[in-house]
Amino acid sequence: MAEALRLYLVLARAEYRSAAQHRASFALLALTSTLLVALDFVVIAFLLQRIPRLGGFSLAELGVLYGLASTAERLADLMVGDIEKVGVQVKAGTFDLVLLRPGPALVQVAAPSCRPQMLGRPLQALVILGISLSQAGVPWSWDRVALLPATVACGTLIMVAVWVAGAAFTFVAVDARESMNAFTYGGGVLAQYPLSIYASWFRHLFTFVLPVAFVSWFPALHLLGRPDPLGLPEWFRFAAPVAADASTTVAAVAWRAAVRRYRSTGS
Amino acid sequence: MGLWLAVARHSFRRASAYPAAVVAGLLTNTVFGCVRAWVLLAAFAGGARMGGYDATDAVTFSFLTQGLIMATGGWNLGELPERIRTGDIAVDLHRPVDLQAWWLAADLGRSAFHLVARGVVPLLAGAALFDLRWPTRAGAIALPLSLALAVLVSFGLRYLLSLACFWLLDERGLNAVYGLLNLFLNGLLLPLVLFPGWLRAVALHLPWAMTMQVPADVWLGKHDGAVPMARTLGLQALWAAILLLGGRAVTRLAVRKVVVHGG
């Protein structure tokens, strides 16, 4: 494990040094990652200028959902996001090289995602989370204080699992790799809004199959001291670790099965 | 003319080479269309009207724009910047044809495929799940022209920005900035008509609005009537002309600047 982590950091550093060669591009990236990613919160604020509440949630409460969802999604993207490019390697047959090198395949394909210039993205979401929590009138208590970091950690793990499982799927359906975006970025976006605004089949899909609802919705209900408009059991609010454990297990199994199944290309 | 048709045809066939990718993209577009539609339905709850839209307009907008993503959405700058970075652009410049016209023809072929392949299904899926608004008579008549102009504006924008890579030599930063601004200014994050005050007025006149918001509004019958329709299509045509002519001018500067890497 320590060896895998060391390899991850070495590869991430190499990626950083290569990106830093193009100075203008590097500066633009750093600027975008810190400023422009806030635009998806800006549009929520635009909407809330016209209406007092969205699905019964005030702007500050929506900011809590947004902050939890985006922090988890962007931390996961920062840690493993480049794994979505594995489909290109599988298609070209260059995944052979990954398997030939001494070191876990997952680390090798995920490490280039760790770019310091992208650190601003999760940081921006954390800032919005902090401001929103201070404005939302959270009835602070020790369990809420403990729930907050646990939610960010479990949420990130859930999103990492979605990415890894999606990448495993691209081994089977190389040309269909874009469909994983529906669940990675799509999951990140849908978790920014109250789960109660979606149709029931959609809510069930993202609660019980892909547990994205545990990234933001259930913990946020407890943080904000709100009753669940959907009437799901109280313990769901604390079940993010269970969801994270289950989803990372499934993702790990899927990834190993996918790598084992890999046959190089003959063309 | 035969040459450009051949380029467009090959680009069309290239875009259609991977049906599985089309299906995957359709799934993603439909999921995003649904999420946007539900968010807007929650915002328009109780029969509200905002920015000239009602709930049905807003839901229809969500699926229309998801359907246009590949044709006019300009998700990223495309393959031209990468060719400039890798030096493959030298091959393009050696061809005895106009660089901009070559890429325009290729983009028209690509867009034509995606208009049909990626445009229809999200709308049908949206219609199956939600209540959508179908185009008015005037809207249906003007829509093909508006879409054609949207494709030209979208190409003009991406081509002009791609040329910046002749100076930057790396497209990643530009792509990241462009990708996020594009999402914001073309209405994919929120219909531009729901932007506040002056920002709404500005955003509705920028070229990004010409690529998605305007064709969607034409569909929704927001510009019905001879004068409003002529003004709308005229503005689209004006932006297309500005961007394409700007692209020509910058191309002349850029080819003098060309650096071929790895040579």
Side-chain angles (χ1 to χ4, degrees):
Chain A
M1 189 66 200
E3 184 56 25
L5 190 66
R6 200 189 64 81
L7 179 64
Y8 182 92
L9 291 175
V10 167
L11 291 170
R13 197 172 117 84
E15 186 70 20
Y16 163 73
R17 292 186 49 178
S18 119
Q21 296 297 315
H22 298 278
R23 278 165 193 278
S25 221
F26 188 86
L28 270 179
L29 261 183
L31 181 77
T32 344
S33 56
T34 37
L35 293 178
L36 288 181
V37 281
L39 286 176
D40 59 352
F41 187 68
V42 168
V43 297
I44 300 178
F46 284 174
L47 211 45
L48 271 283
Q49 281 202 334
R50 293 175 177 269
I51 48 175
R53 284 165 176 273
L54 182 72
F57 284 68
S58 68
L59 181 59
E61 291 172 319
L62 290 168
V64 174
L65 284 172
Y66 172 93
L68 290 174
S70 303
T71 306
E73 189 242 330
R74 290 175 194 164
L75 277 176
D77 194 3
L78 186 70
M79 285 158 67
V80 299
D82 271 28
I83 204 172
E84 69 178 18
K85 295 181 191 157
V86 76
V88 182
Q89 289 177 305
V90 170
K91 189 163 184 179
T94 50
F95 192 67
D96 292 10
L97 291 176
V98 174
L99 293 179
L100 282 171
R101 293 191 199 116
L106 186 63
V107 170
Q108 290 185 55
V109 289
S113 3
C114 190
R115 303 181 186 90
Q117 67 268 35
M118 298 302 233
L119 256 178
R121 286 165 39 88
L123 282 181
Q124 176 268 327
L126 273 176
V127 168
I128 289 184
L129 177 62
I131 296 171
S132 304
L133 280 170
S134 73
Q135 301 291 312
V138 176
W140 286 110
S141 55
W142 66 267
D143 55 313
R144 290 192 170 84
V145 174
L147 183 63
L148 193 57
T151 300
V152 172
C154 294
T156 306
L157 280 177
I158 291 171
M159 295 313 292
V160 165
V162 173
W163 244 286
V164 173
F169 171 72
T170 63
F171 277 79
V172 187
V174 175
D175 288 331
R177 58 184 176 271
E178 199 195 324
S179 59
M180 71 179 279
N181 291 346
F183 305 104
T184 52
Y185 297 113
V189 169
L190 76 93
Q192 291 172 352
Y193 297 94
L195 195 68
S196 48
I197 67 171
Y198 305 120
S200 63
W201 63 269
F202 197 79
R203 292 199 305 258
H204 292 147
L205 176 66
F206 286 98
T207 304
F208 299 110
V209 183
L210 274 166
V212 169
F214 295 91
V215 173
S216 61
W217 170 250
F218 291 114
L221 285 178
H222 185 69
L223 284 172
L224 299 169
R226 291 181 66 113
D228 186 347
L230 306 169
L232 285 163
E234 189 95 10
W235 60 267
F236 268 53
R237 299 167 180 210
F238 309 101
V242 181
D245 186 50
S247 50
T248 43
T249 307
V250 170
V253 169
W255 173 260
R256 284 195 203 105
V259 172
R260 239 193 330 273
R261 193 182 175 282
Y262 171 74
R263 303 265 179 280
S264 193
T265 175
S267 58
Chain B
M1 199 59 206
L3 168 72
W4 306 125
L5 275 176
V7 173
R9 203 174 56 239
H10 279 95
S11 173
F12 183 100
R13 287 185 47 190
R14 189 174 157 209
S16 65
Y18 301 104
V22 173
V23 174
L26 288 172
L27 174 75
T28 306
N29 296 151
T30 304
V31 168
F32 269 90
C34 287
V35 171
R36 300 273 177 233
W38 278 313
V39 169
L40 289 171
L41 273 180
F44 282 86
R49 278 191 75 87
M50 290 186 275
Y53 272 31
D54 63 13
T56 313
D57 288 331
V59 171
T60 310
F61 180 92
S62 303
F63 288 99
L64 278 174
T65 48
Q66 286 295 322
L68 283 175
I69 276 186
M70 288 300 285
T72 71
W75 200 246
N76 53 38
L77 293 173
E79 55 184 321
L80 180 56
E82 199 187 336
R83 291 183 73 81
I84 297 171
R85 173 165 56 87
T86 57
D88 289 345
I89 191 74
V91 179
D92 300 342
L93 289 170
H94 269 111
R95 293 193 190 103
V97 294
D98 185 84
L99 185 76
Q100 187 190 28
W102 172 278
W103 284 95
L104 175 60
D107 202 57
L108 290 180
R110 191 193 62 83
S111 301
F113 173 76
H114 287 306
L115 260 184
V116 181
R118 297 285 289 264
V120 177
V121 172
L123 269 175
L124 293 180
L129 294 164
F130 298 88
D131 203 11
L132 295 194
R133 177 147 291 140
W134 300 102
T136 57
R137 219 177 100 84
I141 293 169
L143 190 66
L145 181 56
S146 182
L147 284 174
L149 290 169
V151 169
L152 285 179
V153 172
S154 169
F155 167 78
L157 259 178
R158 278 177 287 123
Y159 181 81
L160 198 54
L161 286 169
S162 299
L163 292 183
C165 292
F166 277 106
W167 287 270
L168 290 173
L169 303 180
D170 178 66
E171 79 280 13
R172 281 169 289 190
L174 192 66
N175 247 336
V177 174
Y178 170 79
L180 286 166
L181 269 184
N182 180 54
L183 269 182
F184 182 66
L185 291 172
N186 70 9
L188 266 176
L189 288 179
L190 185 76
L192 300 180
V193 294
L194 297 179
F195 279 29
W198 62 271
L199 197 58
R200 173 184 197 264
V202 172
L204 282 173
H205 289 89
L206 291 178
W208 282 274
M210 308 301 127
T211 62
M212 300 189 118
Q213 179 76 47
V214 166
D217 280 344
V218 166
W219 171 295
L220 293 169
K222 302 297 176 194
H223 300 298
D224 281 7
V227 177
M229 192 65 88
R231 263 229 315 263
T232 306
L233 296 176
L235 187 61
Q236 273 189 303
L238 181 66
W239 270 118
I242 291 173
L243 291 166
L244 291 176
L245 291 173
R248 290 206 79 71
V250 179
T251 306
R252 273 200 297 276
L253 290 175
V255 292
R256 268 186 266 149
K257 175 81 183 91
V258 71
V259 176
V260 175
H261 289 229

